[in-house]
Amino acid sequence: MSSSKPGEDEAELQPTFAAGYKLGEKKTVDQYASLDANDESLAKWKASLGITGAGAAAPERNGPKITILALFLRSPSLGDRTIELDLSTEAAIASLAKNPVNIKEGVEYNVGMKFMVHYDIISGLRYIHVVKRAGVKVDKLEQMVGSFGPSDDGAPRSINFPAEESPSGVLARSGSYNVKSRITDDDKEVYAGKRTYLVLLTTK
């Protein structure tokens, strides 16, 4: 069975940017809050990030800017059940590669993520995963999640990605799929590194 090289995995998990893309000047939450309050479109944009206004208490800049709590998977074939991959502790992360996720073949499913922003503005948060079977890449997903400010109510955010369809057929189900994922942003800061988990296709 062939296996991918570490450098190859790293290259495949890099985010892509449009030609000529330039990241704007980085600002703090306080700086954004102080921007032109009379600009209606800017005010709406700030509100969408949870930025209230100048003079509001700024979150403490301690610990990580963002915590990725979980990845989850939903599918009509699962009914009301959600498969959740816990990323909240190192022990939980280590168990991902040992406990395969079972998905029915040929069904529609959605991947999503649960996270909390503690301080600062996270610009261009994105989720990337590469799926391999016997060391050969069979799929890659790069999903732009969006830009976010601190969670003002202390509650985590949950984002669903567009639907995909699991592989089907005899060849598709004869083996396991290795999935490596990464969560990063426009600054290429990595918030959840190379997380690995296994997916097994089932007929039931």
Side-chain angles (χ1 to χ4, degrees):
M1 180 176 69
S2 62
S3 59
S4 55
K5 299 176 182 178
E8 183 179 63
D9 286 341
E10 182 64 26
E12 290 171 340
L13 288 169
Q14 290 297 314
T16 56
F17 296 93
Y21 173 79
K22 290 184 179 180
L23 187 63
E25 181 184 356
K26 193 167 183 64
K27 293 180 173 64
T28 66
V29 173
D30 284 341
Q31 288 172 324
Y32 278 119
S34 300
L35 293 178
D36 193 352
N38 297 319
D39 186 324
E40 185 177 350
S41 61
L42 181 58
K44 288 181 179 178
W45 179 78
K46 290 192 292 185
S48 72
L49 297 178
I51 301 172
T52 50
E60 292 187 11
R61 300 175 65 85
N62 295 322
K65 290 192 292 185
I66 180 172
T67 300
I68 309 299
L69 300 171
L71 295 175
F72 56 83
L73 185 146
R74 294 180 176 132
S75 170
S77 66
L78 296 172
D80 294 331
R81 187 167 67 92
T82 297
I83 296 175
E84 187 163 297
L85 305 179
D86 185 2
L87 301 178
S88 61
T89 67
E90 289 301 320
I93 292 168
S95 73
L96 295 181
K98 303 174 185 177
N99 299 290
V101 174
N102 293 298
I103 303 176
K104 188 176 179 181
E105 65 168 305
V107 298
E108 190 176 89
Y109 68 94
N110 293 80
V111 175
M113 59 183 278
K114 187 187 298 182
F115 62 97
M116 284 186 66
V117 178
H118 303 293
Y119 64 88
D120 221 340
I121 301 299
I122 308 299
S123 177
L125 187 67
R126 66 192 71 201
Y127 169 82
I128 303 167
H129 78 209
V130 174
V131 183
K132 293 188 176 183
R133 181 175 176 274
V136 178
K137 184 172 73 173
V138 296
D139 186 37
K140 178 178 179 178
L141 170 68
E142 181 171 348
Q143 179 64 45
M144 174 60 73
V145 182
S147 298
F148 301 91
S151 304
D152 53 354
D153 59 358
R157 292 180 169 97
S158 290
I159 303 292
N160 285 299
F161 306 153
E164 297 188 83
E165 185 173 309
S166 61
S168 61
V170 175
L171 292 178
R173 80 177 73 111
S174 58
S176 60
Y177 291 77
N178 182 286
V179 183
K180 293 183 186 293
S181 68
R182 170 171 291 175
I183 298 168
T184 182
D185 67 4
D186 279 349
D187 294 314
K188 296 186 179 180
E189 188 165 347
V190 176
Y191 302 108
K194 211 181 294 177
R195 307 308 192 206
T196 302
Y197 50 97
L198 295 176
V199 175
L200 297 180
L201 293 179
T202 65
T203 56
K204 298 181 180 180

